[in-house]
Amino acid sequence: MKTAYLVILLTVSATLCLCSCSKKSDDVMPAQTTNTSPTPPVTAQTTPAQSTTQALGGFQVKVDGYLYTPDLTYALTTSPADNDYFGIYGLDSKTGNLVALLLPKTVGEGTFPINKVNMGIITVNKYDYSTRNDGTGTVTITKKTATNVIGTFSFTAYDATGLYKGTLTEGSFNVAFK
């Protein structure tokens, strides 16, 4: 129940962000992949996989091998779902796809597991996946100040049924707190 509440709050937060943002008229909509299997599509964009180390600014991650580079990136000092957490978000305003890390405020610099407590969340093509559904991974915070957070991450997240998964690798972020 708490997972559903958290996903709903994140979706509402993302929607509010979308409503308050303007888009550049020269933005190009990337082609979406066609999934011929009965499983929900997890691919965020069809940008060919490229080597990533650390984002110079912003947020990027490979989702099932495809590079996801959202146009809205930020961190919140307090998560909408829980005042004891802070969140790091990468949101694509054109598609509504979202990747988020929700970490306890006590997390500082260092490497931490992503699991049911330190959560990874992904919404792709209107399907929700979370590490609350037995997913795992790691996040490394290399710098955290009152105004900025920098690090890397990777995780595997599952849908609520536990049957479908999304694998996120080579993730990096360098975002400001709002």
Side-chain angles (χ1 to χ4, degrees):
M1 182 68 177
K2 189 171 183 180
T3 301
Y5 177 70
L6 180 64
V7 169
I8 290 169
L9 283 177
L10 284 173
T11 303
V12 169
S13 297
T15 303
L16 290 175
C17 288
L18 285 173
C19 293
S20 65
C21 297
S22 63
K23 291 192 268 185
K24 295 188 303 187
S25 61
D26 59 346
D27 282 348
V28 177
M29 181 75 146
Q32 296 293 311
T33 61
T34 303
N35 188 347
T36 58
S37 67
T39 61
V42 184
T43 304
Q45 295 182 356
T46 58
T47 305
Q50 301 170 1
S51 175
T52 59
T53 52
Q54 175 68 40
L56 297 175
F59 188 107
Q60 63 185 19
V61 64
K62 288 182 183 176
V63 179
D64 291 338
Y66 293 94
L67 186 61
Y68 173 68
T69 53
D71 59 339
L72 298 173
T73 61
Y74 56 95
L76 295 177
T77 56
T78 301
S79 168
D82 190 332
N83 288 337
D84 295 331
Y85 281 73
F86 73 95
I88 301 165
Y89 302 89
L91 174 66
D92 186 322
S93 66
K94 294 175 285 306
T95 64
N97 294 338
L98 170 75
V99 174
L101 300 170
L102 300 174
L103 305 168
K105 287 184 177 181
T106 56
V107 167
E109 294 174 3
T111 300
F112 306 92
I114 296 179
N115 50 32
K116 291 182 180 184
V117 176
N118 304 333
M119 292 176 279
I121 296 171
I122 177 172
T123 299
V124 177
N125 299 327
K126 300 183 182 176
Y127 292 97
D128 297 318
Y129 304 82
S130 170
T131 57
R132 296 277 268 166
N133 303 319
D134 293 325
T136 61
T138 60
V139 59
T140 300
I141 306 290
T142 55
K143 183 176 182 183
K144 181 182 174 191
T145 67
T147 59
N148 194 50
V149 61
I150 301 171
T152 59
F153 68 96
S154 63
F155 65 88
T156 300
Y158 293 89
D159 73 335
T161 68
L163 299 175
Y164 308 114
K165 73 177 181 176
T167 303
L168 288 77
T169 58
E170 300 181 45
S172 61
F173 53 89
N174 180 352
V175 296
F177 281 108
K178 287 186 175 188

